[in-house]
Amino acid sequence: MKHLYLMRHGETLFNVQGRTQGWSDSPLTAKGIADAKKSGDFMKQYPVVFDHFYSSTQERASDTLELVFPGVSYDRLKGLKEANFGEFEGHQQYLEPQTTEGKATFFSQYGGETRYQVADRMDDCLSALMENESHQNVFCLSHGAAIWYFMHEKTAFEPLTFQGLHNLDLLHFAYDEKNKSFRFVELIKTI
């Protein structure tokens, strides 16, 4: 059994301002930077040795990875990017539908992605990583909606065991090579 660890980036300016942040980018806040460093202290004590590191191509993700694991070598992958929210990028979040079901396909009519497209993109990217022979314990830095859609659409998990995804939360998944499938194992609070 192989293991995938997916972390959400640290707090950003758009998080604080309540703005939709998908393919647009905003910098980590001072709190986001400090929390990422605290998360790094937690990860130093974490009993898993990661053999490969990956980040979304977006700066808030790569900046977070570099703060959590200073000096580590990693690759940036477009497949780990946040969902594209089209014309809603940078606008106040209250303008969006407020239910998960309401958001499922909403953004595609405004030049964005559906939750299913994001889940497929994440699944394709992560499955390709896990199929690599040398990959046993893989660490990836990604984004809230992208991780959420992947987990809900592409993994086996018990909703009652999951209480939401916050900045710098780490999700552990087991990858079954035989069935080419992911199973949610646990949510780890790193700060």
Side-chain angles (χ1 to χ4, degrees):
M1 190 73 61
K2 294 184 174 191
H3 300 274
L4 168 69
Y5 294 83
L6 268 175
M7 180 180 277
R8 183 180 177 200
H9 62 78
E11 180 188 84
T12 67
L13 179 63
F14 276 14
N15 291 150
V16 172
Q17 293 176 342
R19 295 185 180 277
T20 300
Q21 179 177 228
W23 282 16
S24 59
D25 219 347
S26 72
L28 296 176
T29 62
K31 180 182 183 328
I33 292 168
D35 285 349
K37 290 177 181 177
K38 286 180 196 169
S39 179
D41 292 338
F42 175 89
M43 295 307 295
K44 285 177 191 169
Q45 307 303 316
Y46 195 69
V48 172
V49 176
F50 301 106
D51 47 60
H52 291 85
F53 295 83
Y54 297 93
S55 170
S56 156
T57 55
Q58 294 169 284
E59 286 187 24
R60 62 190 184 268
S62 59
D63 289 351
T64 299
L65 191 145
E66 292 171 11
L67 290 164
V68 174
F69 293 103
V72 75
S73 177
Y74 69 97
D75 291 313
R76 296 172 72 183
L77 302 174
K78 288 181 181 180
L80 298 176
K81 285 177 73 166
E82 179 59 292
N84 179 351
F85 298 112
E87 294 174 25
F88 282 79
E89 295 277 340
H91 291 283
Q92 292 294 320
Q93 290 175 332
Y94 69 78
L95 297 171
E96 303 171 11
Q98 297 305 304
T99 64
T100 302
E101 294 76 27
K103 292 181 182 184
T105 61
F106 176 78
F107 298 104
S108 64
Q109 63 188 315
Y110 299 101
E113 294 175 287
T114 69
R115 73 181 279 157
Y116 312 108
Q117 290 170 317
V118 177
D120 286 346
R121 171 170 50 82
M122 287 284 288
D123 187 51
D124 290 346
C125 178
L126 295 168
S127 293
L129 291 177
M130 300 312 290
E131 285 299 312
N132 190 314
E133 253 181 59
S134 67
H135 290 50
Q136 295 298 316
N137 293 307
V138 177
F139 181 91
C140 294
L141 210 309
S142 190
H143 307 270
I147 295 170
W148 188 259
Y149 296 161
F150 164 73
M151 185 177 77
H152 278 263
E153 301 298 331
K154 300 295 182 177
T155 74
F157 81 103
E158 183 61 45
L160 296 176
T161 66
F162 192 81
Q163 291 97 29
L165 181 62
H166 299 98
N167 294 110
L168 297 162
D169 279 353
L170 181 66
L171 279 67
H172 173 198
F173 298 90
Y175 182 72
D176 183 337
E177 293 176 87
K178 181 179 175 187
N179 295 320
K180 300 188 183 313
S181 63
F182 291 92
R183 178 181 52 82
F184 174 72
V185 176
E186 62 183 328
L187 169 66
I188 302 152
K189 298 287 187 184
T190 70
I191 55 170

